[in-house]
Amino acid sequence: VNMLPPRYTKSVTVTAVDTDITISALYGSNKEGEETWEKVELEEGESHTFEEKTEDLGSWHAVRKILSIKGEIARGDEVETVTAVCEDDCEGVHDNIEYTAAKENGLVRVKAAGE
């Protein structure tokens, strides 16, 4: 059986390009049912980094991978929700991946140099 290498990111940076947006990040856990959301509101032009988190598993600490991010963009009286599954945007383990949040494109992964 071939084991695939892990694919996840430890932190995520989101930049609001041309709109105000509410961004939430879902942190995974090694403990059943312990996933947690962290939420921030960004104004146009602002960036936020969801920092690396760890959890204490007794004799060792595990990184809580960021599973997905969700953006909520106000469109008049309605709110449009856009999501990105971080694992789909990872090749191996990343210290940080970056997304832009825009009115038309939603959440788009910014490729790092050399990717």
Side-chain angles (χ1 to χ4, degrees):
V1 176
N2 280 345
M3 294 286 293
L4 292 173
R7 291 177 21 202
Y8 67 90
T9 185
K10 299 175 187 177
S11 69
V12 171
T13 301
V14 181
T15 301
V17 176
D18 62 359
T19 187
D20 296 352
I21 188 168
T22 301
I23 298 285
S24 302
L26 178 62
Y27 285 86
S29 174
N30 287 294
K31 300 174 187 170
E32 185 89 18
E34 299 259 331
E35 288 90 12
T36 53
W37 285 96
E38 187 173 300
K39 183 173 171 175
V40 297
E41 292 185 14
L42 295 178
E43 293 182 9
E44 182 178 328
E46 289 184 330
S47 292
H48 176 76
T49 299
F50 292 95
E51 299 290 346
E52 177 179 328
K53 293 185 186 298
T54 59
E55 63 186 338
D56 187 347
L57 296 172
S59 60
W60 60 291
H61 285 75
V63 169
R64 296 187 67 179
K65 17 181 161 171
I66 299 177
L67 302 175
S68 63
I69 56 173
K70 176 174 71 175
E72 297 169 284
I73 303 170
R75 297 201 187 277
D77 294 340
E78 307 208 347
V79 173
E80 180 182 340
T81 301
V82 291
T83 59
V85 177
C86 297
E87 181 182 65
D88 293 346
D89 291 325
C90 291
E91 294 173 21
V93 176
H94 298 256
D95 287 329
N96 177 273
I97 59 175
E98 194 172 326
Y99 291 88
T100 56
K103 281 183 213 167
E104 297 305 315
N105 300 335
L107 293 166
V108 176
R109 165 90 152 83
V110 178
K111 295 287 187 192
E115 277 192 89

